[in-house]
């Protein structure tokens, strides 16, 4: 059956990438984590001293865009797509708190978004893709056949991100993780360029009380009901 585009948007840490990866694996689709692109620009700027003390000059960030090359590669061991920044696998570094603390401001810069959206559209031009982010259904792929808008209780989201950081050996206080999530939600929904909003034709998925399996089952059923392709 013909391939479709699946756009998943929503608040920070509500399991977008978990669902997107599972859907991509089940359907044999590509998975693209658009947040990883904004995180990569932020990591580059941090490493090159362009972001200092949580501040930066917009022009400096825009200038460094030409020096940033992004690529994605599927890792069969982790069964997941990994991000390469100028040929270096940065998957682990992208989740550091220092990146999370600066990424919303970097992603609010128009020129940054323009470059990332070009890459995202190129990656999705042949369909057969699951992409998650904040503006995928509203802006990157407004014609996506399936759009999901994900949300979950803030404490549950915090616990998930806290556990994820811990599993990567990064110890951060629960309240600090929660503060970062809420601040990013605020910045992502209030910025001028492509803010996070629910697309009119998106299906809302609150997964506060759902297990990963239940969530996947629910969405696969949605796809079947839409008489779309399930391998
Ligand atoms: O999905 P994430 O938490 O890794 O995303 C990191 C940040 O990147 C998020 O706070 C906002 C920004 N972002 C964005 O502006 N647009 C997207 N499509 C994806 C992420």
């Amino acid at each position: 059956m013909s391939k479709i585009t699946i756009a998943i948007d929503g608040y920070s840490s509500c399991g977008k990438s978990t669902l997107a990866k599972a859907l991509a694996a089940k359907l044999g689709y590509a998975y693209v984590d658009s947040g990883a692109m904004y995180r990569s620009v932020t990591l580059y700027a941090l490493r090159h001293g362009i972001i200092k003390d949580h501040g930066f000059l917009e022009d400096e960030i825009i200038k460094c865009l030409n020096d940033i090359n992004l690529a994605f590669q599927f890792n069969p061991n982790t069964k997941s797509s990994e991000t390469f920044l100028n040929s270096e696998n940065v998957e682990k570094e992208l989740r550091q708190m220092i990146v999370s603390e600066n990424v919303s401001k970097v992603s609010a810069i128009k020129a940054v978004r323009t470059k990332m959206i070009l890459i995202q559209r190129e990656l999705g031009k042949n369909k057969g893709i699951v992409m998650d982010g904040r503006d995928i259904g509203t802006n990157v792929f407004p014609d996506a056949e399936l759009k999901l808008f994900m949300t979950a209780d803030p404490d549950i989201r915090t616990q998930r991100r806290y556990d994820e950081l811990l599993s990567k050996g990064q110890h951060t206080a629960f309240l600090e993780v929660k503060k970062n999530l809420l601040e990013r939600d605020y910045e992502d929904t209030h910025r001028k360029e492509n803010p996070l909003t629910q697309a009119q034709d998106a299906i809302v998925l609150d997964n506060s009380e759902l297990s990963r399996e239940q969530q996947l089952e629910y969405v696969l059923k949605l796809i079947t009901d839409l008489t779309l392709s399930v391998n």
Side-chain angles (χ1 to χ4, degrees), residues 49 120 178 181:
Q120 290 155 14
K178 183 170 181 179
L181 284 194

Side-chain angles (χ1 to χ4, degrees), residues 34-35 38-39 103-104 107 113 133-135 184 188 191:
S34 68
Y38 295 99
R39 286 177 180 268
V103 64
S104 282
S107 70
R113 302 203 69 78
R134 304 294 187 288
D135 62 338
R184 280 201 295 137
D188 296 342
R191 68 175 175 230

Side-chain angles (χ1 to χ4, degrees), residues 124-182:
K125 69 175 185 222
N126 295 325
K127 296 188 179 273
I129 191 166
V130 187
M131 191 176 292
D132 74 319
R134 304 294 187 288
D135 62 338
I136 310 305
T138 49
N139 181 51
V140 180
F141 299 127
D143 297 329
E145 289 83 353
L146 179 62
K147 297 181 187 177
L148 297 170
F149 187 85
M150 290 180 64
T151 181
D153 175 87
D155 280 322
I156 291 173
R157 292 195 279 135
T158 305
Q159 188 67 50
R160 289 176 185 160
R161 181 53 64 109
Y162 176 85
D163 291 342
E164 186 194 4
L165 286 168
L166 209 58
S167 73
K168 291 183 172 147
Q170 296 174 35
H171 296 262
T172 313
F174 184 88
L175 285 179
E176 200 184 319
V177 177
K178 183 170 181 179
K179 183 169 168 278
N180 174 258
L181 284 194
L182 298 180

Side-chain angles (χ1 to χ4, degrees), residues 48-60:
H48 288 78
I50 295 165
I51 298 177
K52 277 186 240 125
D53 305 323
H54 291 82
F56 58 78
L57 294 173
E58 231 182 85
D59 285 351
E60 296 285 310

